[in-house]
Amino acid sequence: RRVHGTHETLLMSDKAALNDALKEAKALIQAGKFEAALESCKTVLRIDKQSWQGLLFVGHCSSKLSKWEHAAKAFERAAEIKEDDLNPWQGLCTVYDATAQFEQLVRASGKMCALTNSKDGTTPSEKFLTAANFHAKSLFHTAQWSKLREFVREQSSPQVGRVISDAISTIL
């Protein structure tokens, strides 16, 4: 590695190795070989600890292997790197839904809602339902409704809280 000012840059050989490891990880994921893909992802992250794609792959593989804590950490790091990208937030929704972390699910779904583009003509409630549709199905069918409503009222920003409350109302 070479350091230029405050930014690290990868040498050409590191970039090639990084791309090769990412391609290998992707192929293994597509083949359903998640443990092996995690090993390729480790190679990616040894080369570049801030590899957004490598972190997404780690999160995805870990989710598929039900390694929820590991998945959450990878998706959280990816979200820190690219805060305005939906992919890590979708991954976090999957983790929070699978582990019944409803308050975190509402926050991540709210972030996804905030990131969607309003130019397509859908209402905020429709956007929330679309973004959280798959991930929150188990939440919407549990006895957690009153807890969710209370959390939305107390913790969410007014705009996100209103959107989520509207979405909940349309389901009831």
Side-chain angles (χ1 to χ4, degrees), residues 37-53:
L38 277 175
E39 291 302 315
S40 293
C41 292
K42 287 179 186 177
T43 300
V44 168
L45 295 174
R46 274 193 295 270
I47 296 168
D48 181 4
K49 292 178 183 166
Q50 298 297 314
S51 172
W52 175 78
Q53 192 169 11

Side-chain angles (χ1 to χ4, degrees), residues 59-78:
H60 178 73
C61 292
S62 297
S63 291
K64 292 292 188 181
L65 297 168
S66 299
K67 296 180 179 183
W68 303 114
E69 189 174 325
H70 197 226
K73 287 179 183 178
F75 286 132
E76 286 165 0
R77 285 183 54 206

Side-chain angles (χ1 to χ4, degrees), residues 85-146:
D85 189 274
L86 283 174
N87 290 302
W89 297 105
Q90 288 172 326
L92 285 168
C93 284
T94 299
V95 171
Y96 297 149
D97 187 36
T99 57
Q101 296 180 58
F102 300 118
E103 293 172 7
Q104 293 88 337
L105 176 60
V106 169
R107 283 190 187 114
S109 296
K111 179 66 174 179
M112 288 175 60
C113 178
L115 290 174
T116 56
N117 188 339
S118 62
K119 293 179 182 176
D120 63 8
T122 59
T123 66
S125 295
E126 291 169 332
K127 287 189 169 303
F128 173 79
L129 289 173
T130 299
N133 173 356
F134 173 76
H135 302 293
K137 280 183 183 172
S138 66
L139 171 64
F140 293 147
H141 297 291
T142 67
Q144 296 292 328
W145 276 109
S146 61

